[in-house]
Amino acid sequence: MLYRSFVIAPMFVLAAPAIAGEEVRFVEPPAWVEPLYDGGIAESREDVPLYDRQVRLEDGTVTRYTDIAYRLDTTQALQQMGTIQLAWLPDKGDLSIHRLQILRDGDIIDLVADGLRPEILRRERELEKRSVDGALTAAFAIPGLKIGDVLRVTSSTSLRDQALAGEMQAIETILAEPTKIGLGRLRLSWPESAPIRWATLGDVADPESWSENGFTILDFNLPVTQPAAMPDDAPGRFKVSPHIQVGSFADWSDVSSTMGGYFATEGTIAPGGSIAQEIERIEQAATQPLERAALALRLVQDEVSYLLNGMAGGNYLPQSPAETWAKRYGDCKAKSLLLLAMLRAMEIEAEAVLVDSRNGDAVAISQPIPGAFDHMIVRATIGDKDYWLDGTSAGTRLETIGEVPDFTWALPLRSEGAGLIPVEQRWPSVPDRVLKVTYDMSAGVDMPVLYAADVELRGIMGARLRAQAARDDRMTLVGVATKYLEDVIGGLVYDARITYDDEAGIARLEAEGMTFDQFGFDRGVASHAIPGATVNWSFKPDRARSAWRDIPYRTGGPLTMREHWTYRLPEAAGSIQMTGIAELDETAAGVRFKRSTRLGDGIFEIADSTSYIPAEIPAAELGDARRAMRRIASGDPDLRLENPQRLWELDDRAIARRLQPHIDAASTLIDLQDDMAAFHNFRASLLSLARDYEAAIADYDRAIELEATPEMYLLRGEAYNALGEYDAALADAQTAFDLQGDISYASNLAIQLSRAGRADEALDLIDRLGLSGDEGVDAEIVWSEIAGHADRAAEAWDRLQVALDERPDEAALLNSQCWTAGIWNYEVELAEEVCDRAVAVSGNSPGVLDSRALAYYRLGRKDRAMADLDAALAQEPGQAASLFLRGLIRLETGDKGGREDLVKARRISPDIDRQYKGYGLVPR
């Protein structure tokens, strides 16, 4: 990366004068500085009462003067400003202090006159970013600050860059609203005779300008008007923040020729030296120029680590190839020069080029200054193609060398000079990522899905996993795979392997895992949204504002993804259909889509890919692009299974058989790390699903031993209930409540207490919570559900009525009153109206239909009860309460099929007989 030493933070100045020095200077401001009126500093209530930045460009030196005041109205502000740090680059200049003052109650405390001096810190603040710049920091510990003080700091720095041969440049941020400044100014000046060019970028008006004493003056009052908002998807040139660029270069050719001489390669490779030997090795290994270029690029990427050295002019001057190879580190310039020298030694046409890695699109509207760029790469021309080779990237091989980075514009560095050239895109020839997934859904639509994933990553994406491939700790690999796949597949990973093929530059991640809740259900149909590279796309550029209507859309990239998903479909499924677009091959909104599918013999497959490269879509074409993308998105494929077998239709042996692979997978995690409570908890949940409650309790025991959370006690209590060990279940409910104490855990404890014959104690527990609002409603609902166990159904009815008077259309309260009437056989004659309202307000919710069915049953209207139960189960076939009541009614009416309903209800809710016995409802 190129070191932008001239880009200055708005509050503190980093730079240096022509004569470098390591001592902080305490001097008067430069004579050319015109102080900004400061009479209102003490009275201003802004956090920054004063901000004055003045920049002078003269005789190859850029000097910056900053006068800034901070109001300290909070303890946090005191802490932040207790130490002032000003950094500078001693190889390029000095730091001068003109004023350090505290303004307090009309008095001025002169800290410099009082002898305050800084501690000089010599540290590389950017070392963690692989960057050293030799910066020094002057740290002033400000004594005696108080809330209400105003701290004023005035300093100046200057910069003469060794690489620019006397040329000058400056980039200054123009502070804009909503930034608050009491009094603010940005002023730039230079001799009228100097060949300076300037321009503002971003949405900002031109400054006031005039000539004074032989100098050109530009002046901004700060903050300027807030820039107009731009759409996020606009090209970068539309989204530039307000700033001004100033430079003495005549044009881009001038910039190119000024810097071009530093990147000459003649004589940089010693005959017979170590670099020459590497070149000979490459030439022996490959005969074609492109193959040789790929090998040279690989050498620079893999064998030379990245480190920016900004000292001694190193922000623009490169290390020699010999130094870079000997040290085995270098920045983008050093790596590019080494690569350039090697390519030219192999008679491959190549040159160094400057690019902007952050907003290359803005280069076209920039002033001709080196500061328009932040990166350097090599442009090689082989055959009739340009190749853009980045020595600081990683993992580039012959297959991926043709991919074009998103830089938009480049400036070749030539001794004779050159203008900007476009970085022209082309479609990638190989995918960046290939994802292959096998989904095993054969256990059933209600079961977790086992999967095997195989991911191949090329280029920089693969290189990011290179270090992980060297690790042999399986638990670490599982963690890496889980993190990578969480947005791709989700769920959890229980085993993983990562390898890296150095020759191909491909990382391979293989993982086995499990996902959950893959199906939605609606009236007997299970549906699954099929994933893939071509699904879940949208294109919604917002150009509603009149000022935006002509702004083009900028696509991302380059990125190519290829995927192949194979499904083993559920056993005993009814008819299976795929809806959506089965075959796809078109380009929409700058994206190439390809898709093919196959369904048959219990297997479904989808193979698809997407590819997009940086490009602009003109505003006039956005409507067509929206329509094309909407049509593609409307055809996102789904799997639809009619009348699939559900888990409550499986007997204990069948469900245990189907879930054994899942339990084995959970055991794999435990084998990896036995002291993880979450792993034991996970296996316990699978064992409970498989109805092996004793084994589940053993895992919950271990999980609680490791990490005793209220949720784990709650889950273990449910397993105890399923086995009929009610005392143990009650003990766990009590412990869970003691740990958490909220309405959820209180409700569970209260229900357990009421079923244990301690209903009054349970009701008192709920009342003692003293809840109101939504939680108060929840408390009333629980109270009413257990009130009958204490012969207090009438009181429950009345309490619900009071709550309904306050919230007459609260569906949960209406349902609770309907349910209370049914379970306690209380006021059932009055309940029909309440139940009807509950059904209407809830939109025929299956839970509310079940409540009304029970009320109808109590009224002896079994036909109406059966109608509601059938309607509820059509929506929610796994609703145990409805299955139980329907089974009870069917048996009472002589329909032996009711036994099947009861079996299903007990599979879903093992203690349902105990629950309904408490209501006086026992199947015959």
Side-chain angles (χ1 to χ4, degrees), residues 191 208 229 242 303 317 328 338 345-346 375 513 515 596 636 650 672 718 728 766 789 797 836 883 914:
E208 295 184 46
E303 300 298 327
L317 303 178
R328 297 301 174 99
L338 172 60
M346 293 185 288
H375 192 42
T515 65
S596 63
D636 280 357
L650 299 173
L672 286 177
E718 291 176 358
I766 299 300
H789 291 297
W797 179 273
D836 288 345
L883 286 167
R914 182 190 185 211

Side-chain angles (χ1 to χ4, degrees), residues 72 78 81-84 100-104 109-118 139-147 149-151:
L72 310 178
L78 283 180
M81 305 309 297
T83 300
I84 297 294
L100 282 173
Q101 294 177 345
I102 297 174
L103 310 184
R104 179 184 298 155
I109 302 172
D110 189 335
L111 299 175
V112 174
D114 290 347
L116 181 65
R117 294 296 182 268
F140 292 88
I142 309 299
L145 286 174
K146 298 179 180 179
I147 289 180
D149 286 350
V150 173
L151 177 64

Side-chain angles (χ1 to χ4, degrees), residues 253-503:
S253 182
D254 192 10
V255 176
S256 172
S257 61
T258 298
M259 302 189 68
Y262 301 130
F263 294 89
T265 57
E266 186 175 355
T268 58
I269 298 178
S274 56
I275 300 177
Q277 292 173 17
E278 293 294 335
I279 292 171
E280 183 180 359
R281 180 184 62 79
I282 290 171
E283 290 178 326
Q284 291 176 351
T287 58
Q288 298 301 313
L290 187 59
E291 294 175 349
R292 290 176 173 179
L295 290 173
L297 179 58
R298 175 181 173 182
L299 182 78
V300 172
Q301 288 181 350
D302 292 357
E303 300 298 327
V304 179
S305 62
Y306 181 86
L307 179 69
L308 167 64
N309 184 354
M311 296 183 287
N315 52 317
Y316 288 129
L317 303 178
Q319 293 175 167
S320 70
E323 183 180 3
T324 299
W325 186 248
K327 293 180 175 179
R328 297 301 174 99
Y329 68 72
D331 61 5
C332 63
K333 304 178 300 299
K335 282 175 164 256
S336 293
L337 183 56
L338 172 60
L339 176 60
L340 183 62
M342 294 179 69
L343 294 176
R344 287 175 174 173
M346 293 185 288
E347 299 184 349
I348 295 173
E349 182 182 346
E351 60 186 348
V353 297
L354 296 176
V355 295
D356 187 346
S357 65
R358 292 177 291 184
N359 188 0
D361 186 60
V363 170
I365 62 171
S366 295
Q367 285 293 286
I369 55 175
F373 307 98
D374 68 354
H375 192 42
M376 177 180 288
I377 61 174
V378 171
R379 173 199 185 200
T381 302
I382 301 173
D384 59 352
K385 288 185 179 180
D386 287 336
Y387 294 86
W388 307 89
L389 312 181
D390 189 345
T392 68
S393 187
T396 307
R397 300 294 186 267
L398 184 62
E399 276 192 324
T400 55
I401 195 172
E403 188 166 289
V404 181
D406 183 15
F407 294 145
T408 311
W409 295 98
L411 180 66
L413 301 185
R414 302 171 186 167
S415 58
E416 70 275 18
L420 293 176
I421 60 173
V423 180
E424 296 181 350
Q425 289 290 330
R426 54 177 169 262
W427 291 100
S429 58
V430 293
D432 298 283
R433 187 186 79 184
V434 177
L435 171 67
K436 298 177 183 178
V437 181
T438 298
Y439 257 6
D440 186 354
M441 295 180 163
S442 59
V445 294
D446 299 297
M447 309 301 185
V449 175
L450 294 169
Y451 72 79
D454 188 337
V455 188
E456 287 188 356
L457 300 164
R458 286 180 170 81
I460 188 67
M461 294 176 70
R464 291 175 183 145
L465 283 180
R466 188 177 189 178
Q468 306 298 340
R471 308 193 65 159
D472 55 8
D473 177 9
R474 287 179 63 199
M475 194 65 231
T476 298
L477 295 177
V478 165
V480 172
T482 299
K483 181 68 175 176
Y484 183 84
L485 294 172
E486 63 182 354
D487 294 327
V488 180
I489 301 175
L492 60 83
V493 173
Y494 59 85
D495 202 3
R497 294 158 297 283
I498 300 176
T499 57
Y500 189 80
D501 184 337
D502 275 306
E503 291 303 312

Side-chain angles (χ1 to χ4, degrees), residues 3 124 126-127 130-135 307-311 329:
Y3 179 71
E124 293 300 339
E126 301 293 313
L127 191 56
R130 303 291 294 168
S131 171
V132 295
D133 56 13
L307 179 69
L308 167 64
N309 184 354
M311 296 183 287
Y329 68 72

Side-chain angles (χ1 to χ4, degrees), residues 16-22 25 61 89-95 158 160:
I19 302 175
E22 296 193 356
R25 303 167 64 203
T61 298
L89 304 171
D91 71 307
K92 298 175 178 66
D94 294 325
L95 167 66
S158 56
R160 185 181 185 90

Side-chain angles (χ1 to χ4, degrees), residues 523-806:
R523 299 187 178 277
V525 176
S527 59
H528 166 73
I530 299 168
T534 57
V535 304
N536 294 322
W537 281 80
S538 65
F539 183 71
K540 299 177 181 178
D542 180 4
R543 298 296 185 271
R545 303 183 192 184
S546 58
W548 293 3
R549 289 177 185 168
D550 295 327
I551 296 176
Y553 176 93
R554 175 73 172 180
T555 63
L559 185 65
T560 300
M561 312 286 260
R562 182 183 299 163
E563 300 187 11
H564 190 127
W565 296 71
T566 301
Y567 288 76
R568 289 183 59 198
L569 297 173
E571 295 180 19
S575 65
I576 301 176
Q577 292 181 312
M578 191 217 77
T579 61
I581 300 174
E583 305 292 326
L584 185 61
D585 188 357
E586 64 178 280
T587 299
V591 182
R592 285 182 172 179
F593 294 91
K594 290 187 178 182
R595 178 193 301 161
S596 63
T597 62
R598 184 183 74 85
L599 174 62
D601 300 324
I603 299 293
F604 172 75
E605 293 181 87
I606 177 172
D608 65 352
S609 66
T610 55
S611 184
Y612 52 95
I613 57 177
E616 288 189 12
I617 301 175
E621 298 176 13
L622 294 180
D624 289 340
R626 283 192 196 94
R627 287 184 287 274
M629 189 67 81
R630 192 178 301 122
R631 179 177 50 77
I632 290 173
S634 70
D636 280 357
D638 285 344
L639 280 176
R640 293 173 57 85
L641 286 68
E642 294 186 3
N643 301 314
Q645 191 175 46
R646 305 302 298 272
L647 67 87
W648 51 86
E649 297 178 272
L650 299 173
D651 62 29
D652 291 355
R653 289 185 61 187
I655 197 169
R657 175 180 59 82
R658 293 193 184 188
L659 283 172
Q660 190 58 53
H662 303 72
I663 295 167
D664 292 342
S667 298
T668 300
L669 283 174
I670 293 172
D671 290 342
L672 286 177
Q673 192 164 345
D674 179 67
D675 60 355
M676 283 285 289
F679 293 169
H680 289 278
N681 188 46
F682 174 54
R683 186 169 68 180
S685 68
L686 292 172
L687 289 164
S688 293
L689 188 63
R691 304 176 198 146
D692 188 351
Y693 299 107
E694 290 185 358
I697 288 170
D699 260 332
Y700 284 131
D701 288 344
R702 175 61 173 152
I704 289 170
E705 176 187 336
L706 294 166
E707 185 181 347
T709 66
E711 182 186 12
M712 290 183 187
Y713 281 106
L714 181 68
L715 293 171
R716 189 174 68 177
E718 291 176 358
Y720 278 131
N721 266 329
L723 290 175
E725 297 182 22
Y726 302 124
D727 289 343
L730 176 57
D732 274 355
Q734 181 67 60
T735 303
F737 173 72
D738 291 342
L739 290 171
Q740 186 74 11
D742 62 16
I743 181 60
S744 174
Y745 288 95
S747 300
N748 177 59
L749 176 57
I751 290 171
Q752 297 294 333
L753 286 169
S754 67
R755 293 178 185 176
R758 299 160 62 182
D760 285 316
E761 185 181 341
L763 296 173
D764 184 57
L765 168 68
I766 299 300
D767 283 338
R768 286 201 313 271
L769 295 175
L771 300 174
S772 59
D774 290 343
E775 287 194 331
V777 169
D778 294 338
E780 290 298 336
I781 291 171
V782 175
W783 205 96
S784 67
E785 185 164 348
I786 60 180
H789 291 297
D791 296 325
R792 297 170 71 178
E795 188 178 348
W797 179 273
D798 292 341
R799 288 174 61 143
L800 288 170
Q801 189 59 55
V802 170
L804 279 167
D805 289 342
E806 296 180 3

